[in-house]
């Protein structure tokens, strides 16, 4: 049935699987997430984290099996799970005899009891092995289910988990709706979903998805959008814009704060996307321009600094100018260098800006570790934008401008030059493209957006301080671009929502934020380098009706020589 | 009149002389070839012309204008275009976009124009697009313009690369092994296409070839390089009879040279 | 050649040179001012220089990893700073355990050896694993892809170790035999500094010898010249790359132990700044060049130790030591302007077409 080499494969897959779970345990994820209920009293997030790998490994090992009969597949998945469970069970046993907690702070009795179902190391280990074997086999068996049912099932699970995770926030949101809110009370328990709620969501999503995926197949594929469809599309867009404008009203203060933060990251993402995604220049010191924007607004508007005191709107052009100038000054020496030097030099530049803002030397001007307080907020007429809800509109306006610029540039002459440079620098130069000027323009545009984001950030907090200008900001922006899809503008939005939104929604997650981001970068590059929402190229040749007969015969006008 | 004149061009890498005092003259509307065994310095010579390398000695003139020492973008702006031995298209851009990038020296719209899309920019872009479509058709890729260039078949990629080079409206087109990796019928097609290029566009073509058979048919003048030195120059008939050339090919590159030379 | 001069100069070059000259001006002017003021005597300068040499020794061992990996793969192993951190951060627990049962004080030499062995093993293993899992599948990918992977790996490792061992500081127990100073001539020098400088020098010589003289080293150089051809010559390219990572990792682990001799405290973020500095050193010396890494590291170490007092103090800048990291990065930018190939580096041959 299964020969020796595949058996070896199963064993090593099981070992890797077990290793991953031990890693998750020792890093503290399983224990931390076990405090977060999805279905109250039944399924916690830690539980999912613990058992999902068995399922995934079972599934993928079954996929590799050459023989797809039920027996082999179940055997492969089950055996992999068993080995993985055994490997995992070794951790509590080891912990029983050696005090590894001095070293691994998360190797706690709580972790062991989670792994052992509270049944002691031997009996518990046995149970773990059996359960993991079963889950592995289930994962393998999942492969044999028809795809339509499989997808519906997956959707149902994902939605149930998501709603369970977002319970606290949804409760807050629903509470604002008054009387209607009582309808939803039976879905949510004091933490997570109630069992009924979970089942209802699961089946509702599953059935709806199953039914819809069936319907889609019946429809003939239409390639050309009819007038009516275009109208519908436009209507949807209008609806989305209206919804976006109403969001702070619907969601309340807490959500507005999250939205503001996500928005500022979108703004930076749009800028860095031009630098990295369009032009292929890996800039890790992006936060420096953000900091410059924030500090310039701070210095010019705060009464503390005593330089001059102007309004936010008067200071904004100076902030943008300073960011762009810094971009050009940094860009000139480093843009002639090889691409990977650029990453490190920009990283160093970001650190220099941070160190300068922290230093005692510049304390009289930049406020040292305390930073600058009492930064002016923007006024519109006589209205001061100070609540999260009000600032939201400022941020949305900035995003719209930045998004428009990025979108227009992408398909312009300059955008094509950037992309050519990204694809092959030497050949791009041989097309007549001046590399330094072209790189510099990308760099400066990116710095412009970062400066804008920094200025708004300073106004939002009414302060600017060095701690919020660290390397991690650059890394966050880099991650959201990569996850969204390098060079893709919608990808920036998706990436920012997923990466910046999730730590806010899931408090436990924030502790493991950079662990997950790091892993995400590696996995994305290995598995899906184009990102969640890949860059799409605009169709140019056939975007208007072509009339081949109207074209002159074969002779392009290339005979006209350039002057000279 | 000579479009391109190279005098005494010498390029060294470390201790190795990749090119030694190479002289070459390319006449207007000519199709000329450089041949030679592997590592003879053919591509290095191209790289010196196009500004990829800066030769240690010697001068290269494009219609009496000195171009040695210029960076490749400036050389291109003066009217030299090239293709590459191992196709180097912008892989994640569409075919049309590749050609539009090739038009770079002739497009003026800047960043602001790109953002605001004023009427002038729109008009320029439209003209450029029309021209790009014509070039696509000329190289036989009409209708394939919106395909990612990496998804085009091999022969089409070669032709797209030539199209991209033509978009610069060059006075001199350098083709680096345009038939590399092609089967005999594709090779024949490409050979005819090169002839057609010159005849219909009136440009001057200098090509590198490894296969003797290809160059014999279309070139008016052949230059033979071996170990970085020019060992012979003449019409195809003369080259075929030249003992030094036969020696160079038979002596070492027998596997690649002989079979083709006698074919 | 005059003609290249005339044609190649651009506005960008002019601006770059202005930036370079202003940095040079600050350095010269600041130094003259400082010496004029005469706040420090010769002893202080000598002390600072020795501190710098010791720092340089640590940077050198880390820089080596950057340099040889760059030589072979033409990629910057961004996660190298975490490989440096992993060794001493893991080994601190062995040191603490040994300290607890008294072995540390009764057998300090053996203890130090054990701790060093563990650190080197951990760093080296991690480097090899990293190559196997994250880099190998991407060897033919576009340039940006492995670089981003390396950045991701760097953060992943940092926060994995934070998860394992906590975000707090862990202190190494003191080694009695390295306390105090030795006196050379009339100048007392900390024993740790002497040990660090000498070990770094010895390690460097051994590694250089390995790369230059042994068969493995020759294979490494062949792979760095041309992977394909090396493969055709019967060299197992994968194995050589693995070896390169193992060697770089081991050297970083050793660097980590030397680092804790100077600053006996470890934490999960400790790799970041030394990693950046070491990279700077590698570029300064000429990336890909082993003796260059050593030279660059020593120069950087000295500049970092002496620089704040020498360049900045005289200009009346308050608390110049806060800016010592900034000095390192500015040097990096400066070097890249003046001589991108580094001090000992050959001009990177442009293989463009």
């Amino acid at each position: 049935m299964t020969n020796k080499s595949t058996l070896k494969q199963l064993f090593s897959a099981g070992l890797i699987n077990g290793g991953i779970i031990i890693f998750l345990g020792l890093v503290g994820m399983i224990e931390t997430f076990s405090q977060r209920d999805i279905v109250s009293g039944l399924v916690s997030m830690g539980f999912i984290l613990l058992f999902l790998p068995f399922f995934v490994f079972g599934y993928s090992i079954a996929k590799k099996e050459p023989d797809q009969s039920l027996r082999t597949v179940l055997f492969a998945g089950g055996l992999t799970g068993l080995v993985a469970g055994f490997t995992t069970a070794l951790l509590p046993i080891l912990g029983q005899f050696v005090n590894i907690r001095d070293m691994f702070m998360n190797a706690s009795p709580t972790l062991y009891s989670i792994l052992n179902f509270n049944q002691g190391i031997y009996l518990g280990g046995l149970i773990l092995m059996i359960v993991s074997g079963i889950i592995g086999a289930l994962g393998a068996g999942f492969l044999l289910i028809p795809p339509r049912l499989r997808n519906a099932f997956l959707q149902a699970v994902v939605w149930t988990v998501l709603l369970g995770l977002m319970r606290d926030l949804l409760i807050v949101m629903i509470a604002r709706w008054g009387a209607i809110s009582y309808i939803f009370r039976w879905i949510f328990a004091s933490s997570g979903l109630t069992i009924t709620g979970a089942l209802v969501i699961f089946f509702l999503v599953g059935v709806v998805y199953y039914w819809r995926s069936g319907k889609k197949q019946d429809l003939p594929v239409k390639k050309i959008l009819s007038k009516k469809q275009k109208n519908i599309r436009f209507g949807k867009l209008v609806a989305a814009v209206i919804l976006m404008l109403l969001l702070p009203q619907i969601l309340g203060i807490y959500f507005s704060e999250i939205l503001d933060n996500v928005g500022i990251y979108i703004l930076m993402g749009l800028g860095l996307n031009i630098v990295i995604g369009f032009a292929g220049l890996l800039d890790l010191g992006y936060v420096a321009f953000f900091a410059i924007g924030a500090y310039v607004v701070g210095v010019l508007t705060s009464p503390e600094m005593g330089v001059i005191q102007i309004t936010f709107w008067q200071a904004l052009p100076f902030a943008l100018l300073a960011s762009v100038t810094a971009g050009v000054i940094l860009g000139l020496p480093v843009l002639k260098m090889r691409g990977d030097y650029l990453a490190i030099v920009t990283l160093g530049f970001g650190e220099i800006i941070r160190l300068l803002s922290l230093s005692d030397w510049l304390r009289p001007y930049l406020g040292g570790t305390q930073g600058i307080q009492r930064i002016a907020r923007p006024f519109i007429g006589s209205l001061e934008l100070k609540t999260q809800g009000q600032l939201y509109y400022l941020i949305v306006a900035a995003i719209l401008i930045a998004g428009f610029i990025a979108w227009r540039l992408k398909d312009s002459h300059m955008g094509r030059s950037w992309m050519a440079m990204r694809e092959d620098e030497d050949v791009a130069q041989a097309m007549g493209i001046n590399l330094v000027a072209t790189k510099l323009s990308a760099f400066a545009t990116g710095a412009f957006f970062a400066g804008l984001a920094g200025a708004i950030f300073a106004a939002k907090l009414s302060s600017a301080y060095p701690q919020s200008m660290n390397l991690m900001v650059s890394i966050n922006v880099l991650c959201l671009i990569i996850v969204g899809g390098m060079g893709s503008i919608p990808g920036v939005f998706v990436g920012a929502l997923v990466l910046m939104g999730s730590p806010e929604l899931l408090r436990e997650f924030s502790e493991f934020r950079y662990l997950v981001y790091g892993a995400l970068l590696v996995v994305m590059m290995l598995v899906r380098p184009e990102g969640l929402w890949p860059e799409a190229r605009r169709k140019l040749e056939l975007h208007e009706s072509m009339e081949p007969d109207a074209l002159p015969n074969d002779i392009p006008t290339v005979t006209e020589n350039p002057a000279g | 009149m000579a479009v391109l004149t190279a005098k005494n061009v010498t390029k060294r890498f470390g201790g190795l002389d990749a090119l030694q005092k190479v002289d070459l003259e390319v006449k207007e509307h000519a199709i000329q070839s450089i041949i030679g065994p592997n590592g003879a310095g053919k591509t290095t010579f191209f790289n010196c012309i196009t500004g990829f390398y800066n030769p240690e000695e010697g001068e290269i003139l494009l219609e009496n204008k000195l171009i040695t020492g210029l960076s490749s973008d400036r050389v291109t702006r003066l009217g030299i275009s090239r293709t590459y031995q191992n196709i180097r298209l912008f892989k994640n851009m569409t075919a049309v976009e590749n050609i539009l990038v090739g038009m770079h020296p002739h497009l003026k719209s800047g960043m602001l124009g790109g953002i605001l899309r004023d009427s002038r920019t729109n008009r320029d872009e439209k003209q450029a697009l029309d021209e790009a479509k014509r070039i696509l058709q000329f190289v036989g890729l009409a209708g394939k313009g919106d395909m990612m260039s990496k998804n085009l078949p091999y022969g089409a990629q070669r032709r797209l690369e030539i199209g991209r080079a033509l978009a610069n409206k060059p006075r001199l087109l350098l083709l680096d092994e345009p038939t590399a990796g092609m089967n005999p019928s594709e090779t024949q097609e490409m050979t005819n296409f090169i002839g057609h290029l010159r005849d219909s566009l009136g440009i001057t073509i200098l090509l590198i070839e490894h296969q003797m058979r290809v160059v014999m048919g279309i070139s008016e003048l052949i230059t033979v390089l071996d170990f970085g030195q020019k060992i012979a120059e003449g019409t195809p008939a003369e080259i075929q009879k030249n003992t030094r050339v036969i020696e160079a090919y038979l002596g070492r590159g027998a596997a690649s040279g002989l079979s083709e030379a006698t074919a | 050649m005059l003609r290249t001069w005339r044609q190649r100069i651009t506005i960008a070059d002019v601006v770059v040179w202005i930036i370079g000259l202003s940095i040079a001006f600050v350095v010269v002017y600041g130094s003259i001012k400082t010496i004029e003021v005469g706040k420090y005597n010769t002893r202080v300068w000598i002390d600072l220089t020795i501190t710098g040499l010791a720092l340089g020794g640590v940077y050198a061992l880390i820089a080596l990893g950057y340099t040889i990996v760059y030589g072979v793969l033409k990629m910057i192993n961004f996660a190298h700073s975490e490989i440096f951190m992993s060794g001493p951060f893991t080994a601190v627990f062995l040191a603490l355990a040994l300290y607890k049962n008294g072995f540390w004080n009764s057998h300090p030499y053996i203890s130090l050896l054990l701790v060093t062995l563990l650190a080197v093993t951990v760093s080296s293993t991690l480097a090899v694993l990293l190559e196997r899992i994250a880099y190998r599948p991407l060897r033919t990918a576009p340039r940006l892809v492995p670089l981003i992977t390396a950045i991701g790996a760097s953060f992943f490792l940092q926060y994995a170790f934070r998860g394992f061992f906590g975000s707090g500081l862990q202190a190494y127990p003191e080694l009695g035999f390295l306390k105090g100073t030795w006196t050379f001539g009339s100048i007392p020098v900390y024993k740790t500094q002497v040990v660090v400088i000498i070990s770094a020098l010895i390690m460097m010589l051994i590694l250089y010898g390995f790369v230059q003289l042994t068969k493995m080293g020759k294979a490494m150089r062949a792979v760095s010249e041309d992977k394909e051809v090396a493969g055709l010559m019967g060299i197992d390219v994968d194995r050589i790359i693995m070896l390169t990572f193992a060697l770089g990792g081991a050297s970083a682990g050793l660097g980590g132990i030397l680092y804790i001799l100077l600053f006996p405290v470890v934490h999960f973020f400790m790799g970041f700044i030394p990693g950046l500095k070491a990279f700077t050193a590698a570029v300064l010396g000429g990336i890909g060049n082993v003796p260059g890494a050593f030279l660059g590291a020593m120069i950087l170490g000295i500049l970092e130790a002496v620089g704040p007092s020498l360049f900045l103090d005289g200009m009346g800048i308050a608390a110049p030591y806060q800016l010592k990291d900034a000095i390192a990065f500015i040097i990096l930018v400066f070097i890249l302007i003046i001589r991108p190939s580094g001090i000992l580096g050959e001009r990177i041959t442009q293989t463009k077409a």
Side-chain angles (χ1 to χ4, degrees):
Chain A
M1 185 166 78
T2 321
N3 62 30
K4 218 172 165 184
S5 76
T6 45
L7 213 58
K8 213 178 129 190
Q9 228 176 33
L10 297 186
F11 269 95
S12 64
L15 281 177
I16 294 173
N17 182 355
I20 289 175
I21 291 170
I22 291 177
F23 175 84
L24 291 176
L26 289 181
V27 130
M29 279 179 110
I30 289 179
E31 195 185 327
T32 311
F33 282 117
S34 70
Q35 284 144 23
R36 170 65 80 132
D37 275 342
I38 303 288
V39 181
S40 185
L42 194 69
V43 183
S44 73
M45 188 64 203
F47 183 89
I48 292 177
L49 207 60
L50 172 57
F51 291 115
L52 189 66
F54 297 125
F55 193 85
V56 171
F57 267 80
Y59 179 79
S60 48
I61 204 80
K63 216 173 178 181
K64 275 191 206 149
E65 277 289 320
D67 172 20
Q68 294 281 337
S69 73
L70 184 67
R71 247 181 77 193
T72 20
V73 163
L74 287 187
F75 174 77
L79 188 66
T80 310
L82 208 67
V83 175
F86 176 75
T87 318
T88 312
L90 289 178
L91 179 67
I93 296 175
L94 177 75
Q96 188 79 5
F97 298 110
V98 189
N99 183 10
I100 54 172
R101 210 181 169 184
D102 279 349
M103 191 166 169
F104 295 100
M105 56 180 285
N106 289 306
S108 65
T110 327
L111 174 67
Y112 296 157
S113 71
I114 294 170
L115 294 180
N116 283 330
F117 302 89
N118 255 330
Q119 301 296 327
I121 48 171
Y122 299 113
L123 180 60
L126 204 65
I127 297 176
L128 179 67
M129 276 170 71
I130 293 166
V131 171
S132 61
I134 292 171
I135 294 176
L138 281 178
F142 194 57
L143 185 72
L144 301 177
I145 299 176
R148 196 178 148 195
L149 197 62
R150 202 157 69 198
N151 287 337
F153 181 82
L154 269 183
Q155 290 284 335
V157 170
V158 167
W159 277 100
T160 313
V161 170
L162 266 176
L163 287 174
L165 284 178
M166 286 162 66
R167 179 252 168 213
D168 294 358
L169 293 164
L170 291 175
I171 284 285
V172 176
M173 203 172 101
I174 289 166
R176 290 162 56 87
W177 297 350
I180 328 166
S181 68
Y182 288 96
I183 304 173
F184 297 98
R185 285 295 157 87
W186 56 272
I187 295 180
F188 297 111
S190 57
S191 76
L193 304 167
T194 59
I195 295 177
T196 353
L199 286 176
V200 166
I201 293 168
F202 180 85
F203 281 110
L204 207 65
V205 174
V207 167
V208 167
Y209 192 84
Y210 188 77
W211 177 68
R212 271 188 52 192
S213 63
K215 217 174 103 182
K216 246 180 223 162
Q217 282 170 346
D218 301 336
L219 282 170
V221 187
K222 275 186 194 165
K223 274 193 173 162
I224 305 145
L225 293 176
S226 66
K227 189 108 185 172
K228 196 177 151 201
Q229 276 168 316
K230 271 187 182 166
N231 282 340
I232 291 172
R233 234 171 125 186
F234 183 71
K236 275 184 186 168
L237 195 74
V238 171
V241 168
I242 291 172
L243 186 72
M244 207 168 88
L245 291 178
L246 288 178
L247 267 182
Q249 265 60 47
I250 303 170
L251 296 175
I253 295 172
Y254 183 68
F255 265 101
S256 300
E257 171 71 20
I258 297 178
L259 280 177
D260 286 358
N261 291 336
V262 172
I264 286 177
Y265 270 107
I266 290 178
L267 198 52
M268 282 199 278
L270 285 170
L272 192 60
N273 191 39
I274 290 179
V275 184
I276 297 183
F278 293 1
L281 306 166
L282 193 51
D283 175 3
L284 296 183
Y286 196 57
V287 68
F289 307 119
F290 177 77
I292 289 171
Y295 267 97
V296 169
V297 167
V299 169
L300 294 182
T301 67
S302 168
E304 281 180 2
M305 289 298 120
V307 189
I308 38 168
Q309 204 186 332
I310 51 178
T311 67
F312 174 82
W313 296 113
Q314 288 166 332
L316 187 62
F318 291 102
L320 298 178
L321 188 70
S323 300
V324 171
T325 312
V328 171
I329 288 179
L330 173 70
L332 273 176
V334 301
L335 288 177
K336 283 177 120 180
M337 279 143 216
R338 292 181 35 96
D340 21 12
Y341 281 11
L342 186 71
I344 303 255
V345 174
T346 49
L347 187 69
F349 179 68
E351 278 298 294
I352 291 177
I353 295 290
R354 195 177 65 86
L355 289 168
L356 288 180
S357 67
L358 268 171
S359 71
D360 288 342
W361 173 41
L362 294 176
R363 181 195 286 275
Y365 316 103
L366 301 180
T369 42
Q370 262 78 52
I372 302 172
Q373 313 295 327
R374 293 168 63 201
I375 292 174
R377 291 213 158 96
F379 277 86
I380 291 183
S382 60
L383 173 73
E384 184 183 11
L385 301 178
K386 60 180 174 194
T387 68
Q388 283 87 347
Q390 290 163 337
L391 284 160
Y392 173 82
Y393 294 105
L394 177 67
I395 294 169
V396 167
I399 290 175
L400 287 179
I401 295 170
F404 178 77
I405 293 177
W407 170 66
R408 275 289 174 87
L409 281 177
K410 187 177 159 126
D411 288 310
S412 73
H413 177 208
M414 185 55 92
R416 288 192 301 266
S417 304
W418 285 337
M419 272 169 231
M421 207 167 60
R422 176 189 73 188
E423 295 292 311
D424 192 328
E425 208 172 290
D426 302 324
V427 177
Q429 190 178 16
M431 295 291 122
I433 294 172
N434 180 334
L435 289 186
V436 173
T438 311
K439 284 181 179 180
L440 212 53
S441 62
F443 218 62
T445 314
F448 178 85
F449 289 166
L452 181 61
I456 293 176
F457 182 76
K460 174 173 170 284
L461 290 187
S462 178
S463 63
Y465 48 93
Q467 288 78 8
S468 60
M469 316 289 173
N470 60 31
L471 169 73
M472 289 310 170
V473 177
S474 303
I475 299 300
N476 282 336
V477 185
L478 174 69
C479 282
L480 75 88
I481 290 173
I482 305 288
V483 170
M486 262 192 281
S488 151
I489 295 172
V492 171
F493 287 78
V494 173
L497 279 174
V498 172
L499 290 190
M500 299 306 130
S502 57
E504 312 268 3
L505 297 179
L506 232 179
R507 287 182 308 277
E508 289 87 350
F509 177 74
S510 56
E511 199 180 319
F512 304 103
R513 182 175 180 157
Y514 294 107
L515 180 74
V516 174
Y517 285 6
L520 216 53
L521 281 188
V522 176
V523 172
M524 286 305 268
M525 286 296 110
L526 288 172
V527 181
R528 201 180 156 86
E530 72 275 19
L532 290 178
W533 190 314
E535 177 195 0
R537 301 305 306 143
R538 195 164 63 125
K539 297 221 179 311
L540 283 173
E541 188 185 13
L542 302 174
H543 78 129
E544 48 202 335
S545 60
M546 260 253 295
E547 301 153 81
D549 295 336
L551 286 169
N553 268 348
D554 265 4
I555 317 288
T557 53
V558 282
T559 36
E560 299 154 10
N561 286 331
Chain B
M1 178 203 162
V3 175
L4 185 85
T5 317
K7 289 182 208 152
N8 258 330
V9 174
T10 300
K11 176 73 201 167
R12 296 191 192 93
F13 293 115
L16 179 82
D17 283 11
L19 288 174
Q20 280 178 49
K21 300 189 185 300
V22 175
D23 293 319
L24 187 79
E25 203 163 275
V26 184
K27 300 208 169 51
E28 190 148 20
H29 300 305
I31 295 182
Q32 281 183 221
S33 306
I34 301 174
I35 62 168
N38 270 331
K42 302 176 300 250
T43 299
T44 307
F45 187 62
F46 264 26
N47 284 342
C48 287
I49 298 174
T50 49
F52 278 38
Y53 295 157
N54 191 12
E56 271 79 22
E57 282 168 36
E59 293 180 331
I60 300 169
L61 299 118
L62 179 70
E63 293 180 333
N64 299 327
K65 192 174 183 321
L66 189 69
I67 58 168
T68 22
L70 291 181
S71 55
S72 61
D73 52 322
R74 293 174 71 180
V75 172
T76 305
R77 281 173 184 276
L78 291 172
I80 298 181
S81 288
R82 70 173 290 186
T83 65
Y84 302 84
Q85 193 176 339
N86 45 337
I87 305 171
R88 287 175 79 173
L89 288 167
F90 304 118
K91 293 196 187 75
N92 291 311
M93 297 173 81
T94 62
V96 183
E97 284 176 322
N98 266 278
I99 292 187
L100 286 172
V101 172
M103 275 176 204
H104 182 92
H106 304 282
L107 295 177
K108 283 176 200 72
S109 75
M111 246 164 97
L112 211 59
I115 296 168
L116 299 176
R117 299 270 160 96
D118 54 306
S119 59
R120 223 199 79 204
T121 312
N122 277 336
R123 201 183 57 230
D124 288 356
E125 279 285 296
K126 174 133 185 13
Q127 271 174 6
L129 191 58
D130 288 345
E131 170 104 7
K133 284 179 191 169
R134 272 205 295 277
I135 293 174
L136 270 182
Q137 194 164 35
F138 182 74
V139 295
L141 291 173
K144 300 228 166 64
D146 287 329
M147 275 176 81
M148 283 290 180
S149 62
K150 67 178 171 193
N151 295 336
L152 289 169
Y154 184 82
Q157 290 195 10
R158 280 260 174 233
R159 275 178 283 143
L160 177 59
E161 207 187 21
I162 293 175
R164 183 179 68 179
L166 291 176
N168 178 34
K169 302 180 186 172
R171 338 211 37 194
L172 174 66
L173 178 64
L174 306 179
L175 301 175
D176 196 343
E177 298 205 19
T179 64
M182 288 185 168
N183 64 31
S185 74
E186 285 172 331
T187 304
Q188 189 53 50
E189 214 175 289
M190 179 56 80
T191 316
N192 294 342
F193 180 67
I194 293 169
H196 174 63
L197 259 183
R198 189 260 313 257
D199 298 342
S200 57
L201 305 181
I203 56 176
T204 311
I205 296 173
L206 176 64
L207 65 123
I208 288 180
E209 256 306 334
H210 195 71
Q211 308 182 37
M212 283 235 204
R213 188 174 24 141
V214 177
V215 289
M216 292 304 166
I218 50 170
S219 330
E220 279 113 41
L221 194 74
I222 295 174
T223 307
V224 189
L225 289 184
D226 190 25
F227 279 125
Q229 280 173 314
K230 184 160 101 176
I231 57 168
E233 191 166 60
T235 62
E238 287 166 5
I239 293 297
Q240 258 166 333
K241 277 180 267 166
N242 189 307
T243 45
R244 277 192 76 183
V245 177
I246 295 166
E247 212 172 86
Y249 269 83
L250 281 181
R252 290 158 319 195
S256 52
L258 175 65
S259 55
E260 285 151 13
T262 50
Chain C
M1 272 188 288
L2 192 69
R3 118 190 144 209
T4 13
W5 239 88
R6 178 170 53 81
Q7 286 168 335
R8 288 231 159 155
I9 215 120
T10 59
I11 302 167
D13 292 323
V14 175
V15 176
V16 165
W17 277 95
I18 290 172
I19 296 172
L21 284 176
S22 39
I23 294 175
F25 173 76
V26 169
V27 166
V28 173
Y29 177 77
S31 308
I32 293 173
K33 278 293 225 184
T34 307
I35 292 165
E36 262 180 18
V37 174
K39 185 168 152 193
Y40 306 106
N41 58 24
T42 323
R43 263 294 299 284
V44 176
W45 294 124
I46 292 175
D47 281 352
L48 285 176
T49 308
I50 292 168
T51 308
L53 284 175
L55 265 178
V58 176
Y59 295 158
L61 288 182
I62 311 172
L64 191 100
Y66 282 113
T67 271
I68 56 176
V69 166
Y70 188 89
V72 170
L73 283 185
K74 299 285 172 288
M75 111 181 224
I76 294 170
N77 179 11
F78 221 90
H80 192 61
S81 48
E82 271 50 66
I83 287 168
F84 158 76
M85 169 273 286
S86 68
F89 199 15
T90 310
V92 74
F93 295 98
L94 176 64
L96 288 173
L98 292 173
Y99 183 72
K100 244 189 220 164
N101 64 25
F103 191 84
W104 184 267
N105 285 328
S106 60
H107 299 86
Y109 294 98
I110 301 174
S111 298
L112 184 60
L113 188 71
L114 287 176
V115 164
T116 309
L117 275 179
L118 181 65
V120 167
T121 315
V122 169
S123 289
S124 183
T125 314
L126 197 63
V128 170
L129 276 178
L130 182 69
E131 191 273 328
R132 181 68 195 83
I133 295 169
Y135 300 158
R136 190 177 295 177
L138 297 173
R139 229 174 262 164
T140 53
R143 190 176 49 75
L144 215 54
V145 170
L147 197 59
I148 290 170
T149 310
I151 293 167
S154 173
F155 283 94
F156 176 77
L157 289 176
Q158 241 175 50
Y159 284 84
F161 275 88
R162 179 180 184 266
F164 288 155
F165 303 151
S167 56
L169 303 172
Q170 299 277 357
Y172 266 85
E174 240 177 18
L175 277 165
F177 70 95
L178 284 177
K179 260 199 279 189
T181 57
W182 281 312
T183 311
F184 296 91
S186 61
I187 303 156
V189 181
Y190 287 109
K191 287 182 185 171
T192 47
Q193 290 180 337
V194 178
V195 171
V196 168
I197 295 169
I198 292 174
S199 336
L201 193 62
I202 293 172
M203 265 313 288
M204 224 55 202
L205 287 175
I206 292 173
L207 283 166
Y208 187 58
F210 178 85
V211 174
Q212 291 297 320
L213 303 175
T214 64
K215 211 177 148 196
M216 280 299 218
K218 271 188 196 135
M220 257 169 77
R221 281 183 292 147
V223 172
S224 82
E225 278 299 318
D226 192 328
K227 278 197 270 303
E228 253 171 68
V229 174
L232 291 175
M233 297 296 172
I235 294 171
D236 186 343
V237 175
D238 279 347
R239 238 189 63 161
I240 292 299
I241 290 175
M242 217 170 91
L243 178 84
T244 309
F245 273 84
L247 212 61
S251 156
L254 193 74
I257 291 300
L258 297 185
Y259 186 80
I260 60 106
L261 291 181
L262 299 176
F263 315 101
V265 175
V266 286
H267 56 102
F268 78 101
F269 206 67
M270 69 184 272
F272 179 64
I273 293 288
L276 260 180
K277 301 271 183 61
F279 174 78
T280 307
V283 173
L284 184 60
I287 196 150
N289 183 313
V290 174
F294 188 77
L295 187 67
M298 287 301 172
I299 293 175
L300 185 72
I302 292 171
L303 282 178
E304 187 190 320
V306 176
S309 321
L310 185 61
F311 307 150
L312 302 180
D313 210 315
M315 292 196 296
I317 287 175
Y321 263 90
Q322 291 171 337
L323 300 174
K324 72 179 165 67
D325 293 343
I327 288 185
F329 302 131
I330 290 172
I331 289 170
L332 177 63
V333 175
F334 191 64
I335 294 301
L336 290 174
I337 295 170
I338 305 297
R339 199 179 153 85
S341 52
I343 300 170
L344 295 185
E346 290 171 31
R347 280 196 76 82
I348 300 161
T349 30
Q350 302 152 301
T351 38
K352 283 185 170 176

